[in-house]
């Protein structure tokens, strides 16, 4: 009797799952993956490579492959052009951000040095983390559900901000708008290449800059931003 009940429950679950659209399955998988990542992820760059690779990279790609979807994994002329433009647009934010006390006190998150033997492997790992993050946020939860129209851009900002809790207040505050910007560019490009390049290169550049003296004295800038609602 118990076995029959289990089989009946499994059959009901399969039928319900089979009735879901691709968009519904994507959102359900996205919720499940972020719950697993949040509860299982461990500190340390190598641990992040493993957990981000499993839940943010392999998970979305596996779902996409089993459904014949590409979730933004494409490279074309438009994607390359928009990757360059987006990277140039966010470059000043990284340059200025690298001089702010709260940012310099937080980064690099994982220990490294300017020695190429240490920094190059570090940079490669950072770029992979960006690729994994963009595969999840902008791939699965944006380009992957573009059937919803442009409103797909506004699905992941809340999750993205949640995953930025504990970081410098200015970064947390800007994470939502940044998510929308990256999502909008990827949506228009039908590719996650722009956000992968802008995010990955930005992470590497920020660590490199913080490891050196500030590009300029931020005192004047900070005096003009005293009105800002969070510490800089």
């Amino acid at each position: 009797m118990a076995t029959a009940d289990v089989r009946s429950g499994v059959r009901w679950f399969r039928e319900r799952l089979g009735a879901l659209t691709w968009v519904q399955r994507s959102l359900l998988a996205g919720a499940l993956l972020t719950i697993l990542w949040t509860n299982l992820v461990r500190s340390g760059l190598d641990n992040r490579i493993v957990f981000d690779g499993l839940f943010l990279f392999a998970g979305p790609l596996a779902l996409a492959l089993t459904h014949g979807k590409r979730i933004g994994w494409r490279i074309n002329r438009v994607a390359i052009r928009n990757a360059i433009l987006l990277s140039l647009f966010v470059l000043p934010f990284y340059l200025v951000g690298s001089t702010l006390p709260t940012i310099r006190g937080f980064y690099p998150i994982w220990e490294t040095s300017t020695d190429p033997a240490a920094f190059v492997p570090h940079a490669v790992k950072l770029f992979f983390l960006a690729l994994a993050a963009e595969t999840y946020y902008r791939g699965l939860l944006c380009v992957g559900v573009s059937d919803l129209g442009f409103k797909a851009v506004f699905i992941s900002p809340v999750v993205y901000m949640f995953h930025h809790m504990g970081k410098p207040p200015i970064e947390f505050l800007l994470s939502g708008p940044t998510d929308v910007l990256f999502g909008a560019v990827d949506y228009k490009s039908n590719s996650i290449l722009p956000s992968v390049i802008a995010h990955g290169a930005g992470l590497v550049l920020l660590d490199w800059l913080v490891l050196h003296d500030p590009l300029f004295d931020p005192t004047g800038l900070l005096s003009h931003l005293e009105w800002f609602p969070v510490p800089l």
Side-chain angles (χ1 to χ4, degrees):
M1 187 67 175
T3 302
D5 290 340
V6 171
R7 289 177 178 174
S8 177
V10 170
R11 188 181 306 112
W12 176 87
F13 179 77
R14 286 178 176 175
E15 290 174 352
R16 296 291 294 177
L17 188 60
L20 296 178
T21 65
W22 159 251
V23 171
Q24 291 171 328
R25 294 185 187 192
S26 296
L27 298 180
L28 180 61
L32 178 61
L33 288 170
T34 198
I35 290 173
L36 290 172
W37 183 90
T38 302
N39 287 278
L40 297 177
V41 69
R42 298 292 181 268
S43 60
L45 181 53
D46 290 337
N47 284 332
R48 282 291 302 274
I49 292 293
V50 172
F51 286 95
D52 287 28
L54 179 62
F55 296 120
L56 305 184
F57 181 75
L61 281 182
L63 180 69
L65 288 173
T66 57
H67 288 75
K69 304 291 184 177
R70 300 182 70 177
I71 60 172
W73 268 64
R74 55 175 58 83
I75 299 176
N76 52 41
R77 186 174 299 176
V78 172
I80 294 173
R81 180 200 66 193
N82 289 347
I84 295 172
L85 293 176
L86 181 61
S87 298
L88 290 175
F89 179 81
V90 300
L91 177 60
F93 292 91
Y94 284 107
L95 295 178
V96 173
S98 69
T99 69
L100 300 180
T102 57
I103 298 296
R104 296 186 68 84
F106 187 81
Y107 287 94
I109 299 176
W110 300 286
E111 185 177 355
T112 186
S113 72
T114 57
D115 181 356
F119 191 80
V120 171
H122 176 81
V124 171
K125 292 177 181 180
L126 289 182
F127 213 96
F128 176 77
L129 292 185
L131 174 62
E134 298 306 325
T135 299
Y136 172 77
Y137 293 110
R138 253 61 67 182
L140 181 65
L141 298 182
C142 183
V143 178
V145 293
S146 57
D147 290 347
L148 292 173
F150 190 73
K151 59 185 177 183
V153 169
F154 300 99
I155 292 176
S156 63
V158 174
V159 180
Y160 196 63
M161 288 189 72
F162 174 75
H163 285 167
H164 278 72
M165 292 179 64
K167 292 195 173 183
I170 182 61
E171 183 177 355
F172 173 75
L173 189 65
L174 293 179
S175 61
T178 299
D179 183 277
V180 173
L181 171 64
F182 281 22
V185 175
D186 285 359
Y187 175 86
K188 292 295 185 180
S189 308
N190 197 26
S191 169
I192 65 170
L193 181 66
S195 61
V196 168
I197 299 299
H199 191 179
L203 289 178
V204 173
L205 176 63
L206 182 62
D207 273 10
W208 179 259
L209 291 173
V210 171
L211 288 171
H212 294 79
D213 292 334
L215 294 175
F216 59 88
D217 185 350
T219 304
L221 174 65
L222 294 174
S223 66
H224 285 90
L225 294 176
E226 292 179 347
W227 54 269
F228 212 67
V230 297
L232 299 175

